[in-house]
Amino acid sequence: VRGFIRHPVKATGHILGHKMEVIQGSRKRPSYMPPKIPKHPLQDVELNMNEVLTYSDMKLRWQWTTRFSTSRMTIARHWKPMRTEFPRNKPTCAFVWHEDMPHRTPQPELPDPEHFERIKKQELFCVFKSSVYHQHKVTVGDIVQAEKLHRRDAGEKVVFGTVLLVGSKDFTILGKPTVPYAKVKATVEQQTLTKEMLAFWYKPRRKQSHFYRRRQHVTMLRIDEIILTPDEDPADPPPPKPARLLDLWANRWLDPAEKEGIEMIEGEDGRLIPKVAQIYDGLE
């Protein structure tokens, strides 16, 4: 039997506890446990007493009724409370001059326009994300070893827009969670493999073991430019082609055989595009 419970509400902030689904009993199907105080056989008229032949049968019936319950409660799954932000806030940032620290008031996203020339002369560094899991702290001219960027050849230009932090010796821009107007431009140097990593695999007490070598696919990037002021490069990269949207929605590169059943129509330029591209063009 499954049920839902919540942790008690915390006193500070009135935070609602996590919601959990629990299973009563150590087994999947809880065993039937009668009440601790059973009915007397003379009062239990639902049971046919003619079938109780011996004292051992009577004792067997009563010992299960007087037994304490040993059922335990196990957690099946739990849900963390979701934040009620609909729609979610757009990313913002805070521009902090080091000479003004420590500060006690909220800082603006951008400094005064008169300081833009001073910012351009600075040697910048930044922290950007090349994937969901990988972050890189770089400056202009660095060579970065990132995870493999699929279908990218050497010499191609790549723009990363998920910048978490930008800084120099005079200022720091803290992303909340990202800096919306910052970009990182890079060039793909090569698609290569890392050096061999030797791993040892074994099973204890079974006399099974072996060594194997593994090489990881990586992409080498050269950081060309860190764009900070919005007037330097106001244009966003072009939206993906309609056929590319199918790969983005599937979160993988689709095989040509998988695209055969997708309904295609003729676009404005005369090429065949998916019909769903009329609903969403990938601009967001």
Side-chain angles (χ1 to χ4, degrees):
V1 179
R2 295 194 177 199
F4 296 97
I5 64 172
R6 285 188 181 272
H7 288 295
V9 178
K10 297 181 180 179
T12 57
H14 303 283
I15 301 174
L16 187 62
H18 294 179
K19 178 182 176 183
M20 293 192 303
E21 181 181 356
V22 297
I23 304 176
Q24 296 289 345
S26 58
R27 307 173 185 86
K28 293 184 178 179
R29 295 185 61 184
S31 59
Y32 174 70
M33 296 300 297
K36 298 178 183 179
I37 303 177
K39 293 182 181 181
H40 194 271
L42 296 179
Q43 297 177 355
D44 196 354
V45 296
E46 297 179 359
L47 182 64
N48 187 4
M49 298 303 297
N50 295 327
E51 297 180 356
V52 183
L53 301 178
T54 62
Y55 176 76
S56 60
D57 295 335
M58 181 72 73
K59 182 180 178 181
L60 184 66
R61 177 188 173 214
W62 275 63
Q63 74 177 0
W64 288 107
T65 57
T66 56
R67 185 181 170 194
F68 289 97
S69 174
T70 58
S71 63
R72 292 177 294 180
M73 184 175 64
T74 57
I75 299 175
R77 53 181 174 172
H78 66 277
W79 295 267
K80 293 184 179 179
M82 297 180 61
R83 302 181 65 177
T84 55
E85 295 179 357
F86 300 104
R88 293 187 178 275
N89 299 329
K90 293 184 178 180
T92 180
C93 59
F95 188 98
V96 182
W97 291 105
H98 294 170
E99 57 190 18
D100 297 338
M101 294 180 65
H103 58 280
R104 300 182 181 273
T105 58
Q107 301 298 308
E109 289 190 6
L110 282 171
D112 297 333
E114 59 186 15
H115 297 298
F116 283 173
E117 293 298 328
R118 177 184 173 187
I119 292 174
K120 292 180 181 179
K121 298 178 181 178
Q122 299 284 336
E123 293 184 358
L124 302 177
F125 75 93
C126 72
V127 178
F128 74 96
K129 296 186 71 173
S130 59
S131 70
V132 180
Y133 307 104
H134 301 87
Q135 301 180 10
H136 308 277
K137 175 181 174 292
V138 298
T139 58
V140 177
D142 287 354
I143 300 293
V144 180
Q145 177 181 299
E147 75 288 349
K148 182 179 180 181
L149 302 181
H150 296 276
R151 301 196 180 184
R152 295 284 186 176
D153 298 329
E156 290 190 17
K157 303 292 183 179
V158 186
V159 180
F160 297 97
T162 307
V163 182
L164 306 178
L165 181 141
V166 182
S168 70
K169 64 178 182 180
D170 291 339
F171 65 88
T172 301
I173 305 176
L174 303 173
K176 304 178 182 180
T178 59
V179 183
Y181 50 81
K183 300 177 185 178
V184 177
K185 290 188 175 182
T187 304
V188 178
E189 289 292 323
Q190 62 176 344
Q191 299 276 12
T192 182
L193 294 168
T194 58
K195 67 177 183 179
E196 288 185 348
M197 298 179 61
L198 189 64
F200 177 68
W201 175 91
Y202 82 103
K203 285 189 175 181
R205 299 182 302 276
R206 296 186 186 181
K207 297 182 179 180
Q208 297 181 14
S209 64
H210 66 266
F211 287 91
Y212 65 92
R213 297 177 177 88
R214 180 176 177 273
R215 300 184 69 185
Q216 178 70 28
H217 289 272
V218 294
T219 301
M220 305 303 295
L221 301 172
R222 181 183 296 275
I223 306 302
D224 298 331
E225 188 179 3
I226 299 175
I227 298 177
L228 188 56
T229 54
D231 55 351
E232 287 186 34
D233 189 7
D236 292 329
K241 297 180 180 179
R244 178 75 175 93
L245 290 174
L246 300 175
D247 300 328
L248 295 176
W249 291 332
N251 198 19
R252 62 186 178 87
W253 295 96
L254 295 176
D255 192 80
E258 296 177 312
K259 297 182 181 181
E260 292 179 356
I262 298 175
E263 185 177 357
M264 309 290 286
I265 61 175
E266 187 175 351
E268 298 179 356
D269 55 354
R271 299 181 180 180
L272 293 178
I273 62 173
K275 189 177 181 179
V276 293
Q278 295 179 339
I279 303 174
Y280 177 73
D281 55 358
L283 288 176
E284 297 182 2

